[in-house]
Amino acid sequence: MSINTEINRLINFAIQQNLMEKSDTYYAANRLIDLLNVAEFIPEEVNETLETATPILENMLNYAAVEDLIENTVNEHDLFDTRIMDCVMPRSSEVIHRFKNDYNQSPQLATDNYYKLSIASNYIRKTRIDKNIIWQTSTEYGDLDLTINLSKPEKDPRDIAKAKTVKASGYPKCLLCRENEGYAGHANHPARETHRLIPLNFRGNEWFLQYSPYTYYNEHCIVLNKNHIPMKIDRNTFENIFDFITEFPHYFVGSNADLPIVGGSILSHDHYQGGHYTFAMAKAPIEKTYEFDGFPEVKAGRVKWPMSTIRLQSKNRQQLMDLCEKILAKWRGYTDETVDILAETDGTPHNTITPIGRRRGEEYEFDLVLRNNRTTEEHPLGLFHPHAEVHHIKKENIGLIEVMGLAVLPARLKDEMAHVKDNLLKNVDDISNIEDITKHADWYKNIRNKYNDINDSNVDEIIKTEIGHVFSEVLSHAGVYKRDEKGQAAFDKFVKSVSVD
């Protein structure tokens, strides 16, 4: 196909996806022919319907590489195809206007259309995300979600070399800053020209709504502070969560903890994550009810979950917020050496909370997950962090997403599990001498001992199931109160202490 045809196809796609009006055709076309160094635009009739713009963009990128408009690398492609899509994007003010009009009909209509726009614009690279390997594993805590993350392509050596020559500018300060909206990007920073933010207001404070470009679950959104300030769990966090799920009752939202090891990958910018998905944690039942003195309108209980979680439910905002704040304050300074919980070491704090909020009809439900980030000689990466015996599957921090029951696993596992599968089918007894999978040797032996018949029809399911069981163990390691008699008694002891002023 000619580049003129591809321009016509892209404009047709953009009109179908409501990115632009038909009346904007020549404006968009002029931007595209200028970007692609084409002499003129000739309208053509296009009759096709595409799920994403990827097939068109691939042809345009090939053309750009042949014409020496870009270098033929992944990063150059990503920077350039974002510039292409920006030519057919609505302005930020128009996106906000549409969102507000949709919201007046229903909050869900507003987020539905905003999410569709984020996919149509290729801001969410759905074609890449669809490559992720996704499954569920049944455990005693419900069906845990797992994904092997394949959506981030490998760096090209040419991109790596170019990145070293880019002078650090400090702008934007991080990947979450509002200044990313419309930012062209460079070798060390992704292009965000198709990025569109929705402004939010939490009690007079400016925040923004966006979707994660990596969408680990349905409508995976990020709620970010206008200001580049560090993560901090306090009463404002609980109030903001309450405001958000009031405004978007079909979404949950939560915050990563605000300390290293137990926090997320970005602690420097205050933000939350939410979405339209029900994780195993949200389905987990309360196994023991609690009562907190002075909070008669708040139902409370201990959740049957590997990570130590107090669930609070109420229609009364004041009591719910007051109790969240009281539990946090008590936990910040709480020590119980009988179960290895220390509030601080030489003045360095260890205790914090991962809070999650959702709606249950008219009631508001908050899960407060107790976290501790202390390290020991035996567990230098964290006592309440995945221990060494599970690092062959996951050694990264247990952030909000994992806390709720979704394991985001490294891409290396795809090839490693293919190799494990091959050896299982060959009935190999020991893989400890096979370099790329020796880390899985003990786990491999356990699988062979557990299953009498491993064959072509069941091997994939066996491997996925056993990875899921490892993830369940990972969550147990991250739980501050272990799920044995001693641990649960210590959990109850802490809860009782909350009512003691």
Side-chain angles (χ1 to χ4, degrees), residues 212-355:
S212 167
Y214 307 112
T215 56
Y216 291 128
Y217 50 84
N218 187 46
E219 297 177 43
H220 178 183
C221 69
I222 298 172
V223 183
L224 57 105
N225 197 316
K226 173 188 175 181
N227 300 311
H228 181 77
I229 58 175
M231 299 280 292
K232 184 180 181 182
I233 305 297
D234 57 14
R235 185 178 181 111
N236 283 329
T237 308
F238 304 132
E239 297 278 7
N240 290 343
I241 289 173
F242 194 102
D243 285 345
F244 183 85
I245 57 178
T246 298
E247 196 164 344
F248 302 100
H250 57 297
Y251 273 11
F252 78 88
V253 73
S255 175
N256 269 305
D258 54 357
L259 294 178
I261 297 176
V262 295
S265 57
I266 300 179
L267 292 174
S268 61
H269 195 124
D270 199 12
H271 71 285
Y272 314 129
Q273 295 182 77
H276 198 184
Y277 189 72
T278 304
F279 291 94
M281 182 188 200
K283 300 175 186 177
I286 288 177
E287 61 183 359
K288 182 174 182 177
T289 59
Y290 296 128
E291 291 184 2
F292 291 94
D293 294 344
F295 301 92
E297 295 186 40
V298 181
K299 294 178 287 186
R302 185 179 74 212
V303 181
K304 184 182 178 184
W305 192 245
M307 297 189 67
S308 311
T309 306
I310 300 171
R311 179 167 294 164
L312 307 177
Q313 298 167 318
S314 184
K315 296 179 184 178
N316 187 315
R317 176 171 186 153
Q318 188 69 40
Q319 287 195 18
L320 186 57
M321 297 295 93
D322 287 349
L323 183 51
C324 285
E325 184 178 31
K326 187 171 185 178
I327 291 171
L328 173 63
K330 189 69 177 182
W331 179 246
R332 290 280 195 195
Y334 190 78
T335 290
D336 186 348
E337 294 185 9
T338 67
V339 285
D340 297 319
I341 294 170
L342 301 180
E344 55 87 21
T345 301
D346 298 328
T348 300
H350 296 312
N351 289 349
T352 186
I353 279 177
T354 299

Side-chain angles (χ1 to χ4, degrees), residues 128-134 147-151 214 216:
R128 287 183 186 170
I129 292 165
D130 287 346
K131 295 177 182 178
N132 290 345
I133 301 171
I134 300 170
T147 177
I148 296 178
N149 180 21
L150 304 175
S151 60
Y214 307 112
Y216 291 128

Side-chain angles (χ1 to χ4, degrees), residues 7 10-11 14-15 19-35 41 43 83-92 94 196:
I7 291 174
L10 183 63
I11 289 172
I15 293 170
L19 294 177
M20 56 175 275
E21 301 291 337
K22 192 171 184 178
S23 58
D24 294 326
T25 295
Y26 278 95
Y27 172 73
N30 284 331
R31 293 187 67 192
L32 286 165
I33 64 173
D34 184 56
L35 177 63
F41 169 69
R83 292 178 66 189
I84 291 172
M85 287 305 301
D86 186 47
C87 294
V88 296
M89 281 290 292
R91 295 178 178 88
S92 295
E94 187 178 348
R196 301 291 185 266

Side-chain angles (χ1 to χ4, degrees), residues 45-56:
E45 186 174 344
V46 178
N47 293 305
E48 69 175 354
T49 301
L50 297 174
E51 184 181 12
T52 72
T54 300
I56 304 168

Side-chain angles (χ1 to χ4, degrees), residues 292-491:
F292 291 94
D293 294 344
F295 301 92
E297 295 186 40
V298 181
K299 294 178 287 186
R302 185 179 74 212
V303 181
K304 184 182 178 184
W305 192 245
M307 297 189 67
S308 311
T309 306
I310 300 171
R311 179 167 294 164
L312 307 177
Q313 298 167 318
S314 184
K315 296 179 184 178
N316 187 315
R317 176 171 186 153
Q318 188 69 40
Q319 287 195 18
L320 186 57
M321 297 295 93
D322 287 349
L323 183 51
C324 285
E325 184 178 31
K326 187 171 185 178
I327 291 171
L328 173 63
K330 189 69 177 182
W331 179 246
R332 290 280 195 195
Y334 190 78
T335 290
D336 186 348
E337 294 185 9
T338 67
V339 285
D340 297 319
I341 294 170
L342 301 180
E344 55 87 21
T345 301
D346 298 328
T348 300
H350 296 312
N351 289 349
T352 186
I353 279 177
T354 299
I356 302 143
R358 64 185 76 88
R359 296 286 292 275
R360 300 283 191 188
E362 293 299 311
E363 284 197 319
Y364 290 79
E365 180 174 280
F366 275 62
D367 284 346
L368 305 182
V369 187
L370 307 178
R371 310 298 302 273
N372 179 287
N373 78 341
R374 65 176 293 229
T375 59
T376 64
E377 286 189 17
E378 183 182 1
H379 302 291
L381 297 182
L383 177 58
F384 303 106
H385 176 88
H387 293 175
E389 62 266 27
V390 297
H391 285 180
H392 65 107
I393 297 295
K394 185 169 179 66
K395 66 183 295 187
E396 298 79 14
N397 290 355
I398 302 305
L400 172 66
I401 293 173
E402 287 82 8
V403 166
M404 295 184 295
L406 167 60
V408 180
L409 302 173
R412 63 174 172 82
L413 286 179
K414 179 185 178 183
D415 291 338
E416 290 174 9
M417 291 306 106
H419 205 171
V420 166
K421 171 184 174 179
D422 184 52
N423 281 274
L424 284 170
L425 291 176
K426 291 177 179 177
N427 204 27
V428 174
D429 184 56
D430 183 13
I431 61 169
S432 60
N433 61 341
I434 303 176
E435 184 177 356
D436 66 324
I437 56 173
T438 184
K439 64 174 76 74
H440 300 294
D442 291 341
W443 179 66
Y444 178 92
K445 283 184 179 179
N446 289 336
I447 292 175
R448 280 178 47 80
N449 292 333
K450 185 175 180 179
Y451 297 91
N452 294 324
D453 180 26
I454 300 176
N455 54 61
D456 279 320
S457 65
N458 66 12
V459 65
D460 290 323
E461 188 61 31
I462 286 172
I463 290 173
K464 287 181 177 179
T465 295
E466 293 306 313
I467 292 175
H469 291 161
V470 172
F471 178 51
S472 180
E473 187 178 355
V474 163
L475 294 180
S476 296
H477 291 173
V480 294
Y481 292 112
K482 303 311 175 188
R483 292 193 54 78
D484 54 22
E485 186 176 350
K486 179 182 178 182
Q488 297 306 281
F491 195 156

